[in-house]
Amino acid sequence: GDSWGIFTFLCAALCNLPALPALNCTEELGTSQSIQKTYDLTRYLEHQLRTLAGTYLNYLGPPFNEPDFNPPRLARAERVPSATVDLDLWRGLTDNARLAANYRAYSLLLCYLRALDGQAATAELRHRLGHFCSSLQGLVLSIAGVMSSLGYPLPAGPSAPPGTLVAPNDFLKKMEDFWLLKELQTWLWRSAKDFNRLKKKVPPAVVTLRLEARGF
Amino acid sequence: SLAADPAVISPQDPTLLIGSSLVATCTVSPDSHLKAEDLYWTLNGRRLPATSYTALSPTTLSVALSHLNGSKQQSGDNLVCHSRDGGILAGSCLYVGLPPEKPVNITCWSKNMKDLTCKWAPGTEGETFLPTNYTLKYKLRWYGRDNTCQEYHTAGPYSCHIPKDLALFTPYEIWVEASNRLGVAVSDVVMLDILDVVTTDPPPDVHVSRVGDLEDQLSVRWSSPPALKDFLFQAKYQIQYRVEDSSEWKVVDDVGNQTSCRLAGLRPGTVYFVQVRCNPYGIYGSKKAGIWSDWSNPTAASTPRSERAAGGCDPKGGEQNTTLRRELKQFFGWVKKHAYGCSNLGIKLYDQWRVWLQKSHKTRNQV
């Protein structure tokens, strides 16, 4: 509803930021803004994914587009890093580890999605996938920006460039595509919480000041 | 979660003609402890009747499908072998459809002799149920090498654009190949000379203005398309106009090659939308006409208020400027030079204001 409108507006405004207004331009200010932007991007992508997944699953056909569809996860599908993690483990992650996990996951997911785009049979799908991949790349870059502003080294790229998820037959490929989209969805849910947690580490006063300066 | 493949389906991902029959088998792996009677089949999420099943062995269950319809989705129909609790053991994608038919109605046009765009229609009413690829190919008539067009969907789903390296004065042979899993179909070859299918941009700078106080006339002026100078062709024009709240266009055909025209027999106090288009002909001296350009963006203007009658296009060129209009034009010219930031001010804006004034007078009078 309304909060969605605010998110899109924030995202658009933040993405169109020219120079910073004349305030105390400390490094912390830049970081908190980057974290906010990354958070907004995950919410935006989550919304975009709903439409993309709907279209793609309809393309795969029933039962893939049925709401309660839950196929087995075959061993092959474990190549995509899982977002699901033990709660205590998640809470205990250092900022560096938290950011690195996000960065690695989305870099890999982006590669797989791009491969999907290459094989998509309809123009509509190619268009949606292409658009989503651009946004997802924006997210990867945004996370890299946060990491470098906090002084963390970027994790090395995917060890073996995965290329396509090579499935031995078309039906198994459909299942892998299904799980790729599911994993992407789970990661976006999780990242919103990751970045929300990181956001809280920046003094809230700084964040408020930024909003007032732009007259929201 | 399972380690090795729990079952194997045969045939895996077959391609079939519409109306054909199929017997598929699902063989469970020895480690799974499942038997043929524990299995069932679904097709696109719908359970298949047990009457179509046959246990071929303790670990193999078959299903018979007949009179198959075209695939429900282009990624193939999902035939799935399940265990009793609903779990998926294996699946196979069925591609059921028709081979493509010859693409037809190939039409091409060249923008200013620089490129070539072609479009075509699929042979069937489009529905092969299988993803079908179209490839446009072309070659110069007496020089053997086939070329393949690369930029698709530039003018609709069945179109392709060849951006460069086009030869003039020798005809091209053009055809479209359609292919899918079930076969290939090649259209008839179309032969054309680039010079015969030339079109150009719509005429730029279309201006519509009043003819002094005459209530039934409007004067239309435009420029010839820029390509006219570069290539040796002449241009003929057509005008179409309509009343603001109607969808019926009136076409003026006998405009010839002038760049102005006077519309007469119009309704007084009415807003008109006017468009102009252009056809290049006499290219390099030939007598043939080219292809009409798109219509220019509609330009609006209104006739002054009062009453009279007649019809057609009066070739008496030029408009009559009233003293007021002349003075206004001079004023705006002066403003542009001396008052920075007023670049939008001009006679055009004045005309738009008059149109707006007309409209608001109309609504006020209607009340």
Side-chain angles (χ1 to χ4, degrees):
Chain A
D2 232 30
S3 56
W4 166 240
I6 296 173
F7 281 130
T8 12
F9 180 57
L10 260 178
C11 185
L14 286 167
C15 288
N16 290 328
L17 256 187
L20 290 173
L23 284 176
N24 290 339
C25 277
T26 64
E27 261 184 22
E28 250 180 51
L29 196 69
T31 309
S32 91
Q33 165 211 316
S34 296
I35 293 174
Q36 179 65 48
K37 175 178 167 189
T38 313
Y39 173 82
D40 293 334
L41 263 172
T42 64
R43 299 305 304 271
Y44 171 68
L45 279 165
E46 193 197 329
H47 178 83
Q48 248 194 299
L49 181 59
R50 266 179 250 152
T51 321
L52 174 65
T55 311
Y56 200 84
L57 294 177
N58 281 336
Y59 166 71
L60 295 183
F64 293 93
N65 57 355
E66 281 161 11
D68 50 355
F69 185 58
N70 189 26
R73 298 196 72 157
L74 303 178
R76 288 178 202 91
E78 297 316 330
R79 233 171 304 178
V80 177
S82 180
T84 318
V85 72
D86 174 73
L87 183 61
D88 289 326
L89 206 77
W90 180 77
R91 277 214 199 101
L93 285 171
T94 61
D95 291 349
N96 188 4
R98 192 178 299 280
L99 286 162
N102 274 268
Y103 182 82
R104 265 190 232 104
Y106 288 118
S107 302
L108 209 56
L109 287 163
L110 181 60
C111 282
Y112 287 132
L113 266 184
R114 280 186 173 142
L116 262 192
D117 189 0
Q119 301 145 10
T122 73
E124 186 204 2
L125 265 182
R126 274 194 300 272
H127 176 78
R128 287 193 195 274
L129 275 166
H131 188 218
F132 191 89
C133 283
S134 304
S135 305
L136 189 57
Q137 168 152 67
L139 178 61
V140 172
L141 291 171
S142 197
I143 299 172
V146 173
M147 290 186 84
S148 69
S149 77
L150 289 173
Y152 299 134
L154 281 182
S159 46
T164 345
L165 289 165
V166 176
N169 66 58
D170 294 351
F171 188 80
L172 280 175
K173 167 124 198 347
K174 284 194 180 184
M175 292 224 283
E176 288 192 341
D177 291 353
F178 175 86
W179 279 114
L180 175 65
L181 293 171
K182 258 282 179 281
E183 201 53 72
L184 187 51
Q185 183 180 55
T186 317
W187 262 108
L188 289 168
W189 283 338
R190 169 175 153 179
S191 293
K193 295 181 176 44
D194 279 322
F195 286 98
N196 206 30
R197 204 175 171 84
L198 285 164
K199 239 198 310 180
K200 292 188 175 141
K201 300 206 165 181
V202 178
V206 178
V207 179
T208 324
L209 205 66
R210 292 227 30 71
L211 295 178
E212 279 171 18
R214 230 167 299 118
F216 285 162
Chain B
S1 173
L2 309 114
D5 288 340
V8 169
I9 286 187
S10 177
Q12 182 70 58
D13 311 331
T15 304
L16 304 149
L17 213 48
I18 285 186
S20 51
S21 303
L22 174 71
V23 172
T25 62
C26 179
T27 305
V28 287
S29 92
D31 325 319
S32 75
H33 309 299
L34 288 165
K35 299 280 190 303
E37 59 253 27
D38 299 323
L39 310 175
Y40 71 92
W41 293 90
T42 61
L43 180 62
N44 290 329
R46 280 224 192 118
R47 192 161 181 151
L48 293 169
T51 48
S52 56
Y53 303 170
T54 310
L56 298 180
S57 87
T59 51
T60 304
L61 183 70
S62 78
V63 64
L65 302 161
S66 60
H67 305 111
L68 286 167
N69 288 326
S71 284
K72 193 167 190 282
Q73 54 274 337
Q74 295 220 319
S75 64
D77 292 318
N78 301 313
L79 178 66
V80 183
C81 174
H82 300 257
S83 60
R84 198 198 296 270
D85 62 0
I88 290 177
L89 300 173
S92 177
C93 294
L94 309 183
Y95 301 97
V96 188
L98 298 163
E101 273 180 39
K102 273 168 45 158
V104 293
N105 298 343
I106 300 179
T107 45
C108 303
W109 61 93
S110 169
K111 195 76 159 322
N112 304 323
M113 290 174 272
K114 289 205 156 98
D115 62 13
L116 190 68
T117 307
C118 294
K119 64 181 208 289
W120 61 89
T124 347
E125 286 91 60
E127 199 50 276
T128 54
F129 300 97
L130 302 170
T132 304
N133 274 334
Y134 293 89
T135 310
L136 182 102
K137 294 198 173 157
Y138 58 102
K139 75 188 237 302
L140 278 170
R141 188 146 194 231
W142 298 294
Y143 303 76
R145 216 171 56 103
D146 284 3
N147 299 290
T148 306
C149 178
Q150 305 291 332
E151 291 175 31
Y152 289 85
H153 320 299
T154 53
Y158 304 108
S159 65
C160 197
H161 176 240
I162 303 162
K164 56 190 175 112
D165 299 334
L166 287 166
L168 301 175
F169 309 116
T170 303
Y172 272 97
E173 291 182 358
I174 301 178
W175 66 99
V176 179
E177 296 178 2
S179 81
N180 66 25
R181 285 168 191 261
L182 280 172
V184 178
V186 182
S187 71
D188 292 332
V189 174
V190 157
M191 199 139 63
L192 59 78
D193 196 317
I194 303 287
L195 292 181
D196 292 335
V197 294
V198 180
T199 187
T200 185
D201 301 294
D205 310 324
V206 178
H207 292 295
V208 185
S209 43
R210 292 177 169 191
V211 184
D213 292 325
L214 298 176
E215 304 109 9
D216 64 334
Q217 299 188 21
L218 283 174
S219 163
V220 190
R221 277 182 301 113
W222 59 90
S223 308
S224 55
L228 190 84
K229 290 185 256 71
D230 305 334
F231 308 108
L232 295 165
F233 62 77
Q234 296 186 284
K236 59 179 176 174
Y237 301 97
Q238 245 184 17
I239 299 177
Q240 71 174 7
Y241 62 95
R242 68 174 169 87
V243 178
E244 182 183 12
D245 36 15
S246 152
S247 51
E248 252 186 71
W249 290 97
K250 261 205 163 121
V251 178
V252 181
D253 242 324
D254 53 354
V255 184
N257 60 357
Q258 318 137 49
T259 54
S260 64
C261 173
R262 198 186 289 189
L263 304 174
L266 304 178
R267 249 194 280 156
T270 316
V271 177
Y272 281 88
F273 290 142
V274 182
Q275 293 179 299
V276 189
R277 67 179 182 174
C278 162
N279 189 331
Y281 72 95
I283 296 162
Y284 293 134
S286 100
K287 292 253 158 54
K288 288 201 200 164
I291 295 177
W292 284 105
S293 73
D294 289 334
W295 289 104
S296 63
N297 283 329
T299 308
S302 67
T303 46
R305 190 145 281 283
S306 211
E307 299 299 314
R308 236 188 268 163
C313 179
D314 188 346
K316 244 182 277 164
E319 27 161 327
Q320 283 173 348
N321 285 325
T322 60
T323 328
L324 173 61
R325 278 183 74 80
R326 233 179 292 131
E327 227 181 75
L328 265 173
K329 270 195 168 152
Q330 286 173 347
F331 173 64
F332 291 136
W334 180 90
V335 164
K336 267 197 176 109
K337 264 201 220 146
H338 294 96
Y340 307 110
C342 291
S343 53
N344 285 331
L345 219 46
I347 200 71
K348 259 177 135 180
L349 192 65
Y350 171 68
D351 281 333
Q352 282 178 17
W353 174 74
R354 296 228 54 175
V355 173
W356 173 86
L357 201 61
Q358 201 77 26
K359 279 165 131 180
S360 63
H361 270 151
K362 242 177 147 191
T363 44
R364 251 182 272 153
N365 290 340
Q366 279 168 2
V367 170

